[in-house]
């Protein structure tokens, strides 16, 4: 991609993957699990964007930055490391990346835990977004939906114009969105000039801007101060900027995309890659031992050394409730 400005791929590595417990733990969240043909989601994220950017930046937290470093070493990728002392949501994380950049640098922001296929379409979408970012717009990627999904937020769009952002819908509303034909899945990926994002953040959330700036200016070798960080309001970039700025454009993208945020989406991905599924739609994840399912359908058996989970595929979104219950009793099974 020939560009007159530097392009930086910013990887956000926060999140514990609570809906993928017990595979995903605090000590090894889902983006670091090497269960996708021997690779992790993080590693795949690094690889798919390596030819699209001049620089790589990783914004992570104190608990997982060494795991990120292992992936960067494995892929032989040099990178700028920003280590948050405590999670303050995506507005702050993205602000740190922008403060660490030159004003005219174009930043491509991606989470570290998504699966993307149809790379030609992906590369085309990135190229289009970079072009719009060069023109001073903040670009979000809206994925053309394949089904009425309740686990994603939506973007109501007309061409590249954003009409509205919508929260995760219930099933009835999701079906209405799909029927209307102009709703896209909100991918959580963005592209913009560093200076443009910071200007908009300063306008709409001056408190987040000023306190993130103070934290960044006090950082040492990319490590951020805990006490100063705690003063930053915990707000998502969607709420802070995307839903309020007049500079937003959307790229409707036809690449294949999933945030693998539930065992149902992991099941669908693994099944498509040839992972064993029995005649009644049952699957084992995390174990090679012979397992027989009798009298049940569409059941997922998740095996780990310290905890197992057996669930109906359609109940995948409820796993986060189990995680929350274990969190209340400070269970070792989350670590």
């Amino acid at each position: 991609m020939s560009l007159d400005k530097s392009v930086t791929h910013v990887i956000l590595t926060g999140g514990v993957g609570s809906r993928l417990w017990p595979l995903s733990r605090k000590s090894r969240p889902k983006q670091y699990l090497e269960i996708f043909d021997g690779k992790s989601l993080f590693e795949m994220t690094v690889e798919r964007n390596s030819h699209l950017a001049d620089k790589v930046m990783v914004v992570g937290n104190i608990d997982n930055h060494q795991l990120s470093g292992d992936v960067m070493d494995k892929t032989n990728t040099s990178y700028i490391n920003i280590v948050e002392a405590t999670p303050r949501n995506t507005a702050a994380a993205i602000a740190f990346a922008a403060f660490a950049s030159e004003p005219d640098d174009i930043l491509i922001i991606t989470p570290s835990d998504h699966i993307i296929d149809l790379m030609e379409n992906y590369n085309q979408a990135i190229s289009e977004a970079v072009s719009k970012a060069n023109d001073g717009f903040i670009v979000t990627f809206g994925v053309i939906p394949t089904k009425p999904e309740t686990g994603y937020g939506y973007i109501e769009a007309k061409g590249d114009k954003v009409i509205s952002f919508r929260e995760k819908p219930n099933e009835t509303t999701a079906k209405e969105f799909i029927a209307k034909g102009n709703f896209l899945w909100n991918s959580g990926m963005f592209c913009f000039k560093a200076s443009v994002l910071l200007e908009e953040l300063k306008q709409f959330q001056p408190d987040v801007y000023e306190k993130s700036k103070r934290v960044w200016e006090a950082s040492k070798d990319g490590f951020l101060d805990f006490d100063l960080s705690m003063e930053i309001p915990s707000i998502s970039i969607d709420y802070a900027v995307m839903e309020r700025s007049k500079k937003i454009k959307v790229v409707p993208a036809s690449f294949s995309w999933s945030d693998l945020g539930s065992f149902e989406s992991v099941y669908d991905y693994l099944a498509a890659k040839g992972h064993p599924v029995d005649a009644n739609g049952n699957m084992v994840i995390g174990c090679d031992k012979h397992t027989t399912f009798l009298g049940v359908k569409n059941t997922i058996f998740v095996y780990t050394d310290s905890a197992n989970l057996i669930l109906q595929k359609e109940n995948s979104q409820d796993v986060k409730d189990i995680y929350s219950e274990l969190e209340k009793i400070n269970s070792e099974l989350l670590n």
Side-chain angles (χ1 to χ4, degrees):
M1 192 181 288
S2 60
L3 295 157
D4 54 352
K5 296 186 178 69
S6 175
V7 176
T8 303
H9 175 213
V10 179
I11 308 173
L12 305 181
T13 71
V16 294
S18 58
R19 287 177 294 175
L20 291 189
W21 182 88
L23 278 186
S24 186
R25 308 287 183 104
K26 288 178 179 176
S27 61
R28 188 168 291 273
K30 69 169 179 174
Q31 58 268 32
Y32 303 104
L33 299 170
E34 294 187 341
I35 58 171
F36 306 97
D37 298 327
K39 292 183 179 179
S40 66
L41 295 172
F42 188 124
E43 183 178 346
M44 292 157 79
T45 301
V46 173
E47 288 179 348
R48 90 170 66 94
N49 292 283
S50 61
H51 65 292
L52 299 173
D54 310 304
K55 292 184 284 194
V56 180
M57 193 180 288
V58 176
V59 184
N61 61 53
I62 197 72
D63 296 325
N64 70 15
H65 77 99
Q66 286 165 317
L67 294 172
S68 299
D70 292 342
V71 176
M72 301 312 271
D73 289 345
K74 182 181 176 184
T75 58
N76 199 23
T77 306
S78 60
Y79 68 109
I80 300 153
N81 196 22
I82 299 176
V83 182
E84 294 182 287
T86 181
R88 300 316 290 156
N89 216 317
T90 51
I94 288 171
F96 297 140
F99 283 126
S101 305
E102 294 298 321
D104 278 349
D105 284 357
I106 303 283
L107 307 188
I108 300 167
I109 311 284
T110 76
S112 60
D113 56 359
H114 291 183
I115 279 280
I116 290 173
D117 283 321
L118 304 178
M119 289 312 298
E120 197 173 314
N121 296 2
Y122 178 76
N123 295 341
Q124 186 181 334
I126 294 284
S127 184
E128 192 179 329
V130 169
S131 176
K132 291 180 191 297
N134 261 320
D135 292 336
F137 293 105
I138 296 174
V139 184
T140 182
F141 294 81
V143 178
I144 297 166
T146 55
K147 61 179 179 177
E149 173 63 61
T150 59
Y152 302 148
Y154 284 74
I155 299 167
E156 185 183 6
K158 185 176 183 180
D160 68 354
K161 293 181 178 64
V162 174
I163 298 169
S164 69
F165 287 88
R166 303 293 186 93
E167 298 295 322
K168 294 174 183 176
N170 60 31
E171 193 154 347
T172 304
T173 307
K175 286 176 178 172
E176 287 171 5
F177 287 173
I178 300 301
K180 285 180 180 171
N182 66 324
F183 281 79
L184 307 164
W185 287 336
N186 188 349
S187 71
M189 292 170 48
F190 311 102
C191 183
F192 47 74
K193 260 186 215 172
S195 58
V196 173
L197 187 281
L198 290 175
E199 284 161 15
E200 297 296 273
L201 183 63
K202 189 175 186 179
Q203 179 182 344
F204 296 111
Q205 288 287 340
D207 208 24
V208 175
Y209 173 88
E210 295 296 346
K211 287 174 176 172
S212 298
K213 188 169 189 269
R214 194 181 311 157
V215 169
W216 176 247
E217 287 172 348
S219 66
K220 293 182 175 64
D221 299 323
F223 285 79
L224 309 184
D225 181 82
F226 177 83
D227 292 330
L228 289 176
S229 295
M230 284 301 290
E231 294 178 19
I232 304 171
S234 180
I235 297 172
S236 74
I237 195 68
D238 287 56
Y239 175 73
V241 174
M242 299 297 158
E243 294 177 12
R244 303 161 88 172
S245 172
K246 298 288 185 280
K247 295 183 177 179
I248 308 298
K249 294 283 187 186
V250 61
V251 171
S254 55
F255 51 79
S256 168
W257 172 88
S258 169
D259 74 347
L260 289 194
S262 69
F263 277 114
E264 182 170 16
S265 52
V266 172
Y267 175 106
D268 291 344
Y269 176 77
L270 291 176
K273 294 291 181 182
H275 192 86
V277 181
D278 76 9
N280 290 311
N282 302 305
M283 176 186 283
V284 178
I285 298 174
C287 174
D288 293 330
K289 287 179 184 169
H290 177 76
T291 304
T292 301
F293 295 86
L294 188 61
V296 292
K297 293 183 178 180
N298 299 324
T299 298
I300 305 172
F301 173 46
V302 184
Y303 174 89
T304 72
D305 288 341
S306 59
N308 298 330
L309 174 68
I310 300 165
L311 70 151
Q312 293 290 150
K313 188 167 64 151
E314 57 268 26
N315 292 109
S316 292
Q317 294 292 340
D318 300 332
V319 175
K320 65 180 182 295
D321 298 334
I322 299 170
Y323 190 96
S324 298
E325 289 301 315
L326 291 170
E327 210 162 28
K328 283 177 193 168
I329 60 170
N330 207 14
S331 174
E332 284 293 312
L333 292 173
L334 299 183
N335 298 329

